[in-house]
Amino acid sequence: MNLPVIDLSPYLAIAGGDDSEHKLSPELTALCGDLSSSLRETGALLVKDPRCSVEDNDRFIDMMEKYFSSPYEFKVLQERPHLHYQVGVTPEKVEVPRSLIDEEMQEKLKEMPKEYQPHTPVGPDLKWRYFWRIGPRPSNTRFQELNAEPVIPDGFPEWKETMDSWGYKMISALEVVAEMAAIGFGLPKDAFTSLMKQGPHLLAPTGSDLQKYGQEGTILAGYHYDLNFLTIHGKSRFPGLYIWLKNGQKVEVKVPVGCLLIQTGKQIEWLTGGDCIAGMHEVVVTNRTIDAIRLAEEQKRSLWRVSSTLFAHIASDAVLKPLGQFAESPISSKYPPIFAGEYVEQELAVINLKGKNESLHD
């Protein structure tokens, strides 16, 4: 199955006015409906945003390949375990995928048809991760720890500009997706974006060493969901991402050149009262990954698999609860009102009880 590709250009051409949702043509209204339907049914979609170029993605990945290929002793200088690894670097074999420790999830996985079952993790993820905050943080918040200052590695003078440039472009794309999704769901166009303002958005590239972990079937990121609102990825140079649709079907994601992949997180599940559910996914070395490794070796390119990823969050001090008609859902009681920051801290508390840093994002 191919995910739908939504071109954001027609909406961008009319966006910006306070009443732009009242000016939508039937075609644009239908496009917003298609976008929200894809999020509901598949938990994912592909978008084209003319503001996010292939060159931007390449420049970002080039820098992250250089960083991740740095010596271990250098990289751990950017580690901040006392802040739950929510800024700076998280080394490999630290994040524990939820499917490794969640017994209820493990039981559900056993009930899946064999061909749709995820790979079974046997330990922590083999990927590194770097968290870099994007956008302003609130001056007054009851969740200060989730809004920590960024960490800049020495020897990368281009770091801040490259991270900020790509991060702001991707968050801008997600804001448009959030507006269009709200319109498609029959909500005010700012229903989601108003809650995203000053959220703890994180640019969060991962790095997996395929020279070390390039064997077919190796799990780079075990089966899990994202705790945030929406996740966006640029195209990776090495395939291997699988997602699960709402109907339980397992799909390998193929991102066309120039497209961005969007995935639903737990916070949009909360705001839609379970109409959209947080998409499950994993990253595994496949035969297509191995073909890409061989090509990279021939071309003498880096064998680090970098994901060009950003996590958009609802503001920590905003309340998560089903919006509009979703409050009338028969299962809305499963989503009681809770501060977004409190929800994130509850997820992190589970990690601390386990003595590990669980993989909350991919």
Side-chain angles (χ1 to χ4, degrees), residues 110-169:
K110 289 175 187 171
E111 295 166 7
M112 283 183 173
K114 270 274 188 250
E115 66 269 28
Y116 295 158
Q117 286 182 8
H119 289 70
T120 304
V122 293
D125 286 343
L126 301 178
K127 68 179 187 292
W128 289 70
R129 149 120 46 227
Y130 207 102
F131 276 141
W132 176 264
R133 71 180 208 169
I134 294 295
R137 296 311 199 240
S139 53
N140 294 306
T141 173
R142 48 173 78 75
F143 304 102
Q144 200 65 49
E145 198 172 73
L146 299 178
N147 297 281
E149 289 299 315
V151 179
I152 302 176
D154 291 335
F156 286 82
E158 74 280 28
W159 187 272
K160 186 177 188 302
E161 193 276 328
T162 302
M163 298 294 263
D164 285 346
S165 172
W166 185 234
Y168 276 106
K169 286 182 179 187

Side-chain angles (χ1 to χ4, degrees), residues 32-33 36-37 39-41 178 180-188 191-192 195 229 246 267-277 320-337:
C32 292
S36 59
S37 292
L39 292 178
R40 177 188 289 120
E41 297 306 323
M180 294 177 70
I183 293 167
F185 287 132
L187 299 168
F192 297 135
L195 298 175
F229 172 60
K246 197 171 186 178
Q267 291 174 352
I268 195 172
E269 180 176 328
W270 218 276
L271 295 171
T272 61
D275 192 48
C276 281
I277 59 170
L320 291 176
K321 63 180 180 180
L323 302 176
Q325 76 272 17
F326 296 120
E328 310 303 318
S329 161
I331 60 167
S332 63
S333 60
K334 286 176 60 180
Y335 303 96

Side-chain angles (χ1 to χ4, degrees), residues 310-328:
L310 180 138
F311 300 118
H313 279 258
I314 298 304
S316 302
D317 295 276
V319 174
L320 291 176
K321 63 180 180 180
L323 302 176
Q325 76 272 17
F326 296 120
E328 310 303 318

Side-chain angles (χ1 to χ4, degrees), residues 8 37 85 209 233-234 246 303:
L8 303 184
S37 292
Y85 296 94
D209 186 354
H233 310 264
K246 197 171 186 178
L303 294 185

Side-chain angles (χ1 to χ4, degrees), residues 38-50:
S38 184
L39 292 178
R40 177 188 289 120
E41 297 306 323
T42 70
L45 75 147
L46 295 162
V47 300
K48 276 188 174 180
D49 186 326

